[in-house]
Every structure is written in structure tokens, then in C-alpha cells.
Amino acid sequence: MSELLGLYIDHQMAAPLAVAQHSAKIKPLASDLARTGVLPITTCARVEVYGEEPALREIDSTIFSGISHERIEGAAAIAQRLAEIASGAHSQILGESYVSDQLAKAIEFGNPNLPIFQIAQLAIEIGRAARERHRFIASFNYDQIVRDIIADRFPNREVADRLYIIGAGMLGRGLIRSGVGDRFRSTIVVTRNPKNLRKRLRPWTDKEVRLMRPTEIGYPREPRSIVVIATADVNDEYETTLQNALMRLQPRTIVDLSSIPVISDAVVENLNYVSMYHEEFLRFIEQNNRRLAPKLPLVCSDIEATLRTAQM
């Protein structure tokens, strides 16, 4: 076996938005890379590839062309980093849980008999266990942040109209199930494919939602409504459709949870808009990270000790 190698860039090395934009470009290549024996990790905060040195030498110029990135060598060092990622130690939001699921998803497309995918599987298990042992768990919660923003926009128990959730992936469905829409007259899930979404929501008999296509939004204006954007699956055509719909709707606030903001600067000027890069949102991240920072060395030391025991 050739030496194992890793190449990566994350939010600590470049502006988070720039990393998210680069990740979006590389993500369509992920399954093809995995089939060639390379482990790709493309999340909103990182672009990383791991595998045997000859394979990575060939794709280095493709994945990181013109971009400064770091290099990591050897099975032990790679296992340490992957376990720390799985624990949430390298996340922009310390202790967040989504990243370990994203890692697990990344290895599904690879050959489980290859060393890099075996190392990754072990690293995920070790990272998750260390996270649980030290309660390295983010207090940062999308559901609660959305609730706090809604409460701020509707003081004195002002009556709210409708909650629009754009996107029904993992994040969108989580928001629906959390009950953030309970304060509103109704919850609308905006989707381009209502038929497909009805099947996915069928088991949720306890949550009543309506489905609406984006072209149906904004007739009439709803200044007492809130819109939450909870999807990253937005091409140029869909982005234009959504922006036109939101301009018609004129909601009280738009909360954009996408790693790459959906609304253009020109549209933002005419709407009350909060993205993950706005000060209001960053305060929540700062509070979470300040609470968990003292546990960070403990988690990394725990992972290192566990890997040493596993003779990595």
C-alpha cells in the first residue's frame, strides 16, 4: 500500500463563504472520486480528500487549482483529523452533530475494503464517542435560533400570519417537526415537487403543513409572515424564481440557513434578511463556541489516546 495522504481546506484557512462556494463546485464530483478509491469530504465548511498518494497527486490540481491548502500524511495523522472532524472539534460551530453524519454519508460511496474508508469508519466512531463522553455538544440549535428571531420580530405577542419553509431536506423537516410553526396561522412548505414531498411527509400525521410551489407565493403580500430558507439545492433559475416570489410576498423577515446565501445583494436591500453570515446569526455561534472552547483540548486528547490504543 502506498502512503496515505490528505489534502484539505476549511473555514479556518479561508473565508467561510469562499469555502462553501468551492465546496459546492466540488460536491458533484464526490461519488466519482469515491469510486476511484479517494475519500472526499465536501461540506459547507470544508473540502478535503484522502487516499493513497498516487491517486491524490493526480487530482490535486483539479480540486485545489489556485487555492492554498494543507497536506497531512500517514494513517495515524489522518485518523486523528477525521475523528476530530466527526466530534465537531473542527466545525465552525463547535460540537455540531451534522458533520459526523456527513462523514458517514461520504464513505458510503467508497469500497469498504480499502484502508482509507476503514480508517474513516473507525474515526467516525471514535470521534462520536469522544463527543458524547465530554458532552461536547453544541447549544447552537437552528430550531431555537429561528424561534428567537421570530420572537424578536413579533414582540408583545403580536399575531403572526404564516411560516414559509423553503426546502424539505433534513434541515427543513427538522424545523417542521420542532414546532417552530406553532405560533403561526399555518406552515407552508415551498417545494418544486409537491407530489414527492407529500410521500416524505406522510408519516408525520401530527404536523399539519400545506405545500406550495414558489410561483404561487406572494398573492397577496404578507407583512406578518416569516420565511426560512432551509435548502442548498438552488440553481440560477430557481434562485430567480424564489427572489421574485419573496419580493411579492414582502415578509416580516427572511432567515437564510443556506451556506451560500440564496438572496442577491440587490434584493436584500429591499427585504429584512438574515443569513448565517450576518451579525445577528454570528452572535449565536460565538456564544456556543465560547461555552465549548475549554473542552476542545480534552476531546482531542481523548481521541489521540483512543487511537493510540487502537494501534493506528
Side-chain angles (χ1 to χ4, degrees):
M1 182 182 75
S2 301
E3 179 77 354
L4 290 176
L5 176 67
L7 306 171
Y8 66 89
I9 180 173
D10 62 19
H11 69 95
Q12 295 175 315
M13 300 162 56
L17 178 56
V19 176
Q21 290 170 329
H22 185 59
S23 179
K25 294 177 183 177
I26 304 303
K27 195 169 292 186
L29 308 176
S31 58
D32 289 337
L33 288 171
R35 282 191 285 269
T36 66
V38 172
L39 170 63
I41 304 171
T42 52
T43 72
C44 61
R46 69 188 69 258
V47 177
E48 311 200 9
V49 287
Y50 297 90
E52 295 190 19
E53 195 272 341
L56 261 63
R57 191 192 313 128
E58 294 178 8
I59 68 171
D60 186 2
S61 59
T62 303
I63 302 297
F64 298 104
S65 177
I67 297 175
S68 177
H69 56 282
E70 293 291 332
R71 177 187 178 103
I72 185 169
E73 299 179 1
I78 289 172
Q80 178 80 23
R81 177 167 178 81
L82 292 178
E84 290 176 358
I85 290 173
S87 73
H90 289 298
S91 294
Q92 187 178 8
I93 303 164
L94 292 178
E96 56 102 352
S97 60
Y98 286 114
V99 68
S100 68
D101 294 333
Q102 291 169 322
L103 279 178
K105 191 72 175 176
I107 67 176
E108 287 180 2
F109 298 100
N111 182 344
N113 297 316
L114 291 179
I116 188 58
F117 292 98
Q118 293 174 340
I119 289 171
Q121 182 61 59
L122 177 62
I124 292 171
E125 295 169 5
I126 290 174
R128 285 173 171 171
R131 178 176 180 267
E132 291 296 326
R133 273 194 296 272
H134 295 280
R135 304 302 296 165
F136 191 70
I137 298 172
S139 59
F140 179 100
N141 182 295
Y142 287 109
D143 307 346
Q144 189 57 51
I145 288 171
V146 171
R147 290 179 193 276
D148 288 349
I149 292 175
I150 291 170
D152 178 78
R153 301 307 192 270
F154 292 97
N156 305 319
R157 302 202 60 80
E158 181 184 357
V159 176
D161 196 351
R162 297 200 284 189
L163 175 67
Y164 289 84
I165 298 178
I166 298 175
M170 181 172 61
L171 179 56
R173 295 196 304 273
L175 289 170
I176 295 167
R177 298 207 71 171
S178 72
V180 295
D182 291 349
R183 180 173 176 178
F184 293 80
R185 177 165 58 87
S186 62
T187 297
I188 308 293
V189 180
V190 181
T191 176
R192 288 168 288 183
N193 193 336
K195 184 177 181 180
N196 182 53
L197 183 56
R198 282 193 185 93
K199 294 179 182 178
R200 296 166 72 181
L201 296 180
R202 195 169 291 158
W204 300 4
T205 56
D206 59 327
K207 295 296 179 184
E208 184 175 344
V209 299
R210 289 181 53 201
L211 307 185
M212 185 177 288
R213 297 181 186 274
T215 52
E216 300 170 335
I217 296 175
Y219 305 103
R221 291 175 54 191
E222 295 182 22
R224 292 198 303 274
S225 288
I226 295 282
V227 174
V228 180
I229 300 174
T231 180
D233 184 20
V234 179
N235 57 26
D236 291 343
E237 180 182 359
Y238 191 38
E239 179 179 328
T240 299
T241 300
L242 285 177
Q243 291 183 6
N244 290 338
L246 295 175
M247 287 296 292
R248 291 193 302 268
L249 187 67
Q250 292 289 307
R252 179 70 52 94
T253 291
I254 300 167
V255 183
D256 192 345
L257 303 180
S258 306
S259 57
I260 301 176
V262 171
I263 308 299
S264 70
D265 292 340
V267 175
V268 166
E269 293 179 358
N270 300 299
L271 296 169
N272 187 289
Y273 177 73
V274 181
S275 81
M276 294 181 65
Y277 305 100
H278 282 71
E279 180 61 30
E280 186 172 5
F281 216 96
L282 293 175
R283 283 199 301 271
F284 291 108
I285 297 177
E286 183 181 357
Q287 291 168 7
N288 172 79
N289 291 356
R290 190 164 53 242
R291 183 182 68 85
L292 289 184
K295 295 184 178 182
L296 187 56
L298 300 174
V299 172
C300 294
S301 296
D302 186 328
I303 289 170
E304 182 179 8
T306 305
L307 287 169
R308 195 182 305 119
T309 303
Q311 297 182 343
M312 290 303 303

